[in-house]
Amino acid sequence: MTKTILFCFLALLPVLLNANSLLLNGDFENTSVETLADGRLRFQGWTAKYTNGGYSGIYQEGINGLSAYSHSDSLNDPNDPFFPYINSTTPNLDHFAYARPSGPAPTSSFAELYSDVFSKQGNVKMDVWRESSGSYSEVRFHRASDNALLDSFAFTGSTAVHSWTTVTLDVSGISDGTDLYIVLRGGTYSPGSGWLTFFDNIFGGLTQEYNVPEAGGGSVGVPESSSFFMLLMSFSMVAFYCKRK
């Protein structure tokens, strides 16, 4: 009996640890995309919004093409918990999200990615890469019920310039269980330069609703697999197995 209980606990442990931490497509490995009726791009778990020619999306590590400069060597993330870059023989390349202004890069141009609504659990952790100290890199937290801005973080100075840096955002002032959505924003403080901000591996909550937040330009229902549903299914399967034991 004791062995059966231990087995059940160990079987559920990965579900409890993972389903409540990584946001839906928070590692941006699902690169499928569709165009919504209003022209915005919709990725699994994320919706893009552009201002004055900015653009954003999902890109692969180790490939230059987002910038006029060659950053291909520095795009590899050794901090990645799923695909850590080791060396050129074992690159473990994966994908990340990017947000940047237009090519001319005036300060009025930027791009944003809106997450699906999630239930906040603990502080939020993510990997961030910035092209230069002039990059405008921001993460905002909005309450889903009324779009109110509850907290925001701006990465400035030398934070994650030409290297991946894992940052922990202290959102302890927001109660766990609060339904939120995240906005990732990339622009520039320096006209004509400082284009890029990359984001990857975003942990901190269980995605539970699948819609484009109002602040992103209108609510659009999107049929996607629910993390909460998958969690319930995992519980059910393990419970059934344990009962049979």
Side-chain angles (χ1 to χ4, degrees):
M1 181 65 178
T2 302
K3 290 183 178 180
T4 300
I5 294 175
L6 178 61
F7 170 83
C8 293
F9 174 77
L10 292 176
L12 285 172
L13 187 60
V15 175
L16 295 172
L17 291 178
N18 295 328
N20 291 292
S21 55
L22 186 70
L23 268 61
L24 176 66
N25 205 20
D27 56 0
F28 302 99
E29 286 311 295
N30 188 330
T31 60
S32 59
V33 61
E34 63 176 308
T35 302
L36 300 178
D38 59 7
R40 285 175 296 156
L41 295 183
R42 168 71 185 176
F43 302 89
Q44 184 190 45
W46 301 90
T47 305
K49 182 181 180 183
Y50 312 132
T51 300
N52 195 19
Y55 55 100
S56 61
I58 296 177
Y59 210 69
Q60 187 178 29
E61 280 185 347
I63 299 176
N64 192 53
L66 291 173
S67 172
Y69 301 102
S70 178
H71 294 312
S72 57
D73 291 340
S74 59
L75 301 185
N76 304 304
D77 185 0
N79 303 324
D80 194 308
F82 307 110
F83 297 89
Y85 177 81
I86 300 174
N87 52 45
S88 58
T89 304
T90 314
N92 289 333
L93 300 181
D94 75 333
H95 298 84
F96 55 79
Y98 69 89
R100 55 158 294 165
S102 66
T107 56
S108 59
S109 179
F110 59 90
E112 297 171 312
L113 282 165
Y114 287 69
S115 77
D116 282 357
V117 176
F118 67 98
S119 176
K120 180 251 179 185
Q121 302 294 332
N123 288 324
V124 173
K125 184 176 72 171
M126 65 180 66
D127 293 344
V128 179
W129 187 101
R130 300 174 63 236
E131 183 175 56
S132 74
S133 58
S135 301
Y136 180 76
S137 313
E138 182 186 41
V139 179
R140 302 198 310 270
F141 294 85
H142 292 262
R143 186 165 53 216
S145 59
D146 59 4
N147 300 314
L149 176 63
L150 300 184
D151 212 339
S152 65
F153 299 83
F155 304 110
T156 59
S158 61
T159 304
V161 172
H162 284 204
S163 65
W164 282 101
T165 298
T166 301
V167 297
T168 298
L169 306 182
D170 184 357
V171 287
S172 56
I174 304 175
S175 299
D176 282 355
T178 302
D179 289 346
L180 305 173
Y181 60 88
I182 286 178
V183 181
L184 308 175
R185 179 171 172 171
T188 182
Y189 291 119
S190 304
S193 65
W195 291 284
L196 306 179
T197 305
F198 303 151
F199 302 94
D200 204 358
N201 305 314
I202 303 177
F203 292 82
L206 173 64
T207 304
Q208 60 180 21
E209 294 184 21
Y210 300 85
N211 68 310
V212 181
E214 283 291 339
S219 181
V220 179
V222 179
E224 297 179 24
S225 300
S226 167
S227 297
F228 182 68
F229 174 74
M230 295 303 295
L231 178 63
L232 290 178
M233 286 293 293
S234 299
F235 269 112
S236 300
M237 291 175 65
V238 173
F240 175 75
Y241 178 84
C242 293
K243 184 177 180 181
R244 292 188 62 186
K245 294 286 286 186

